[in-house]
Amino acid sequence: MIILRKALFPFAIVYGFITSIRNFLFDKGILKSHSFDIPIIAVGNLSVGGTGKTPQIEYLIRLLSPKYKIATLSRGYKRKSAGFILADSNSNAEILGDEPFQFYKKFNTIQVAVDANRKNGIEQLLSQTNRPELILLDDAFQHRKVRAGFYILLTSYGDLYSDDFILPAGNLRESRTSAKTANLVVVTKCPATLSPDEQGKIKAKLNLSSSQELYFSCIDYDESIYSEDKKIKVDEIQNENKLLLAGIAKPEPFFKYLQSEKEEQLVFPDHHHFSEKDLFEIENKAQGKIIITTEKDYVRLKGSIPTDQLFYLPIRSSFLSASEKFNKTITNYLEKPTSSSKY
């Protein structure tokens, strides 16, 4: 793999040149960015997948929904639909994509929309009778046609963008210098025991500007697994025969949290749509045992596997420290007047 990546280095140079020219044109106003008279927070990353955007969006929803009318806007990756769609009771994971559908099922006080054209998606949301007061843009760090008011950049512990390179030689969608756009950076999926000294070394690697804030977060796994109508403590099933199933980027921590010597494991690609063949394989592997999957996979598997057999493990993003400072930074942004729309 390392040899292949080195062989692809010339293509990465070309790709990096193209993305830098694109960003230059947006920075100079030659290509148009559109701003709106509503607070917009964009959450994204520089690398391809697996940085924990979904739990970070959910953290913001929990923080802000008690005070603001929130809408989330995603592209709806791998959905079997097109254009702008506002989630309703007829929606499912195939129509919205798994992550937006997860938002819709978990948070009944927010609006959830999908549109690959983020400008159009925002305009459609603002034309609704129930107009939102805040829009959270999911996976929109590279979406320069919309100018968000606040940018949160995520990078995974152990896979920092500062140690990576542009596609296809690495996993970055654009140059590391694009990190300067972020108002704050969150290093996600850290060990809960990450020391201040280790945090300091990461801070030095990232080399942020004095105006940018840096935070460290970890994934907190729930103490229970859930089906449609049942809840079981994880320690009660830790040593039981079970099937662990994941169709996410970097599923190893999920497996490690639930792992014992007795269970089978099945791994599928990220955002995988389960076919009849897949379901047959799952049924054969499970042999009547309970199936524990991720929350994102659960919304795609629900209805295809008996409800008393299928369980999911919820996760949350938690800050190692300074969560109150993070919350205050976000609320301070929302309390500032927003700029008027520019087209």
Side-chain angles (χ1 to χ4, degrees):
M1 178 61 75
I2 295 175
I3 295 174
L4 177 59
R5 286 288 174 97
K6 287 182 177 179
L8 293 172
F9 183 80
F11 298 97
I13 295 294
V14 173
Y15 177 77
F17 178 74
I18 292 170
T19 56
S20 64
I21 291 296
R22 169 185 175 271
N23 288 337
F24 174 81
L25 294 175
F26 274 112
D27 291 341
K28 295 300 181 182
I30 298 169
L31 293 178
K32 188 69 174 175
S33 291
H34 305 275
S35 59
F36 295 85
D37 61 346
I38 182 174
I40 298 174
I41 299 176
V43 178
N45 52 24
L46 294 181
S47 63
V48 179
T51 56
K53 292 184 297 296
T54 301
Q56 183 62 63
I57 291 282
E58 291 187 357
Y59 181 97
L60 293 171
I61 293 171
R62 292 188 184 95
L63 172 67
L64 301 171
S65 58
K67 188 173 180 180
Y68 297 93
K69 291 165 57 178
I70 293 177
T72 64
L73 179 61
S74 312
R75 60 173 169 162
Y77 184 61
K78 287 195 175 181
R79 62 184 169 120
K80 295 182 178 179
S81 62
F84 175 82
I85 296 175
L86 185 64
D88 60 23
S89 58
N90 296 315
S91 298
N92 56 37
E94 289 193 347
I95 292 172
L96 296 177
D98 49 19
E99 290 162 345
F101 187 58
Q102 180 176 318
F103 298 151
Y104 176 70
K105 295 298 288 184
K106 289 182 76 169
F107 303 102
N108 57 17
T109 63
I110 71 169
Q111 292 178 302
V112 176
V114 292
D115 197 334
N117 183 333
R118 306 302 171 87
K119 173 178 175 289
N120 180 70
I122 294 170
E123 290 170 343
Q124 293 293 327
L125 282 168
L126 297 183
S127 71
Q128 304 292 319
T129 303
N130 185 25
R131 173 187 164 118
E133 298 170 329
L134 162 66
I135 295 176
L136 302 178
L137 287 184
D138 179 22
D139 196 15
F141 201 78
Q142 286 79 31
H143 200 89
R144 296 294 302 273
K145 290 184 179 180
V146 168
R147 185 184 301 117
F150 197 91
Y151 288 90
I152 299 175
L153 175 63
L154 309 181
T155 186
S156 293
Y157 173 83
D159 192 18
L160 301 173
Y161 65 77
S162 57
D163 298 333
D164 207 343
F165 200 73
I166 296 174
L167 289 165
N171 293 315
L172 299 184
R173 300 171 178 177
E174 58 182 301
S175 168
R176 290 170 285 190
T177 60
S178 298
K180 67 181 185 297
T181 306
N183 296 88
L184 60 84
V185 175
V186 181
V187 181
T188 62
K189 302 184 178 181
C190 297
T193 56
L194 189 68
S195 69
D197 182 57
E198 290 174 300
Q199 293 179 31
K201 291 177 181 177
I202 292 172
K203 182 177 181 179
K205 271 189 174 184
L206 296 179
N207 192 30
L208 303 181
S209 72
S210 59
S211 63
Q212 293 176 300
E213 297 180 11
L214 178 63
Y215 297 89
F216 297 85
S217 71
C218 63
I219 294 297
D220 272 345
Y221 290 98
D222 203 290
E223 295 179 351
S224 299
I225 58 171
Y226 300 80
S227 67
E228 189 171 359
D229 54 11
K230 195 173 181 181
K231 172 183 174 182
I232 305 175
K233 289 283 188 181
V234 169
D235 57 13
E236 293 178 15
I237 51 87
Q238 198 80 49
N239 295 314
E240 284 189 18
N241 285 324
K242 54 190 179 288
L243 173 65
L244 304 182
L245 186 159
I248 59 172
K250 303 172 185 175
E252 294 81 13
F254 166 78
F255 289 135
K256 184 177 180 181
Y257 181 76
L258 294 167
Q259 194 166 2
S260 73
E261 296 178 357
K262 298 181 179 179
E263 85 278 339
E264 296 268 4
Q265 294 180 2
L266 271 179
V267 181
F268 292 91
D270 197 14
H271 302 281
H272 183 68
H273 283 292
F274 296 96
S275 65
E276 290 297 325
K277 181 181 177 182
D278 296 329
L279 295 172
F280 182 74
E281 180 184 7
I282 293 168
E283 181 182 348
N284 276 347
K285 283 276 189 181
Q287 292 293 307
K289 300 189 290 282
I290 66 168
I291 299 167
I292 308 176
T293 189
T294 69
E295 199 166 1
K296 191 164 71 169
D297 293 306
Y298 179 82
V299 299
R300 282 180 272 124
L301 287 167
K302 185 180 175 183
S304 301
I305 293 174
T307 56
D308 61 349
Q309 189 180 12
L310 183 64
F311 290 79
Y312 67 90
L313 175 70
I315 63 172
R316 285 195 181 203
S317 177
S318 297
F319 290 97
L320 301 188
S321 62
S323 60
E324 291 184 3
K325 182 183 177 186
F326 175 91
N327 296 350
K328 187 63 176 174
T329 297
I330 299 298
T331 54
N332 283 347
Y333 158 66
L334 294 173
E335 289 167 1
K336 291 179 181 178
T338 56
S339 62
S340 356
S341 300
K342 296 177 183 178
Y343 292 91

